[in-house]
Amino acid sequence: TELCLRQMRWRLPKPQQVRRLPAELRYKLLVGLKNRRMLYGEVLLELVRGLRVERLPLHDATNMTSRDLQLAAGVLEAPPRFVDLSNVSLLDDVALAAILEVAAPALEHLDTHGAAEKFEGECL
């Protein structure tokens, strides 16, 4: 299993294949992903679908759109306590509001440093 995860950290499988992975392996893949630009679209959704985690590491996901983050927030099974959205260049207030709506009951730490100019913090 670890050998397969090491290979996938550089190149993610198709969303249909990610969907079949157990939640524990999807989370390990999310945490250890080397090319974080791959965190967007259906692959992102399938990686986070049904996760119940303390930490949600979405940092450096430079291709993740506002819509991607809104959809991803809606498929989490439980609110994370720590959310890392640092260096997410397409982060905006709408996406941040979506993640806060899910995470707020448990949120202890939110990292948005290096966020793009689209982020104004109005939803805070």
Side-chain angles (χ1 to χ4, degrees):
T1 305
E2 291 299 319
L3 180 61
C4 289
L5 280 175
R6 274 187 265 161
Q7 291 289 71
M8 286 189 277
R9 287 178 178 160
W10 290 100
R11 185 173 180 181
L12 285 173
K14 294 180 180 177
Q16 305 89 311
Q17 295 167 319
V18 173
R19 185 180 305 129
R20 292 191 298 240
L21 294 172
E24 178 184 327
L25 292 180
R26 285 185 282 117
Y27 185 66
K28 282 184 178 182
L29 186 55
L30 177 64
V31 169
L33 192 62
K34 300 297 183 189
N35 184 356
R36 304 201 59 83
R37 293 177 300 181
M38 294 186 291
L39 287 176
Y40 70 96
E42 287 185 54
V43 171
L44 172 65
L45 284 178
E46 296 307 330
L47 278 172
V48 302
R49 185 178 304 281
L51 288 185
R52 177 180 290 274
V53 296
E54 294 283 314
R55 298 181 181 277
L56 185 61
L58 298 176
H59 57 89
D60 301 312
T62 56
N63 290 329
M64 182 174 59
T65 66
S66 176
R67 184 73 179 142
D68 291 335
L69 187 54
Q70 291 172 58
L71 293 171
V75 298
L76 291 169
E77 185 171 312
R81 290 180 32 214
F82 304 92
V83 178
D84 186 353
L85 295 169
S86 60
N87 300 316
V88 175
S89 57
L90 300 176
L91 180 66
D92 64 10
D93 289 317
V94 175
L96 186 58
I99 201 72
L100 286 175
E101 186 176 324
V102 170
L107 192 64
E108 293 178 16
H109 181 81
L110 173 66
D111 187 347
T112 60
H113 83 269
E117 65 278 355
K118 291 183 175 188
F119 175 63
E120 297 178 15
E122 291 177 9
C123 62
L124 298 176

